[in-house]
């Protein structure tokens, strides 16, 4: 993916400082996971990484968290910073996916 198509470089980490942006490898993993989740769910990538909280969005977002954590590139804290969230949000999402 080029930089114009990268949600990791444009949309994520808006809440945090510039140091929270993902590196090239992390951005590639995040973009691919979000793109796959968007195709499977029918949601737009922007809505998956956005702030909306309906159950459908949260469920897909939690699956994205789980897939990113399974890649073993991220720690929970770093993934949370990259996505502009709290590490507890990532932990809760991964835990809910595991429970299902």
């Amino acid at each position: 993916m080029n930089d114009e198509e990268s949600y990791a470089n444009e949309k994520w980490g808006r809440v945090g400082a510039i140091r929270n942006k993902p590196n090239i490898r992390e951005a590639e993993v995040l973009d691919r996971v979000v793109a796959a989740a968007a195709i499977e769910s029918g949601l737009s990538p922007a809505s998956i990484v956005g702030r909306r909280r309906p159950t459908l969005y949260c469920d897909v977002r939690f699956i994205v968290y789980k897939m990113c954590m399974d890649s073993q590139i991220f720690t929970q804290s770093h993934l949370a910073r990259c996505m502009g969230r709290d590490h507890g949000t990532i932990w809760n999402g991964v835990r809910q996916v595991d429970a299902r």
Side-chain angles (χ1 to χ4, degrees), residues 6 8 10 20 28 30 36 41 57 59 66 87 94 96 99-100:
S6 174
E10 296 298 323
N20 296 335
E28 184 177 315
L30 287 170
S41 67
Y57 294 96
D59 289 345
K66 173 71 172 159
H87 77 280
V94 171
Q96 287 194 22
R100 292 180 190 161

Side-chain angles (χ1 to χ4, degrees), residues 55-73:
T55 304
L56 175 62
Y57 294 96
C58 289
D59 289 345
V60 173
R61 200 172 296 139
F62 290 167
I63 292 168
V64 168
Y65 298 161
K66 173 71 172 159
M67 291 173 69
C68 287
M69 292 303 298
D70 286 349
S71 72
Q72 297 182 349
I73 293 175

Side-chain angles (χ1 to χ4, degrees), residues 16-29:
I18 193 74
R19 64 180 167 71
N20 296 335
K21 289 183 85 171
N23 64 33
I24 294 170
R25 184 175 175 210
E26 294 165 343
E28 184 177 315
V29 169

Side-chain angles (χ1 to χ4, degrees), residues 1-7 9-11 31:
M1 283 191 171
N2 61 26
D3 284 339
E4 291 87 34
E5 298 172 345
S6 174
Y7 282 90
N9 289 329
E10 296 298 323
K11 304 289 184 197
D31 285 334

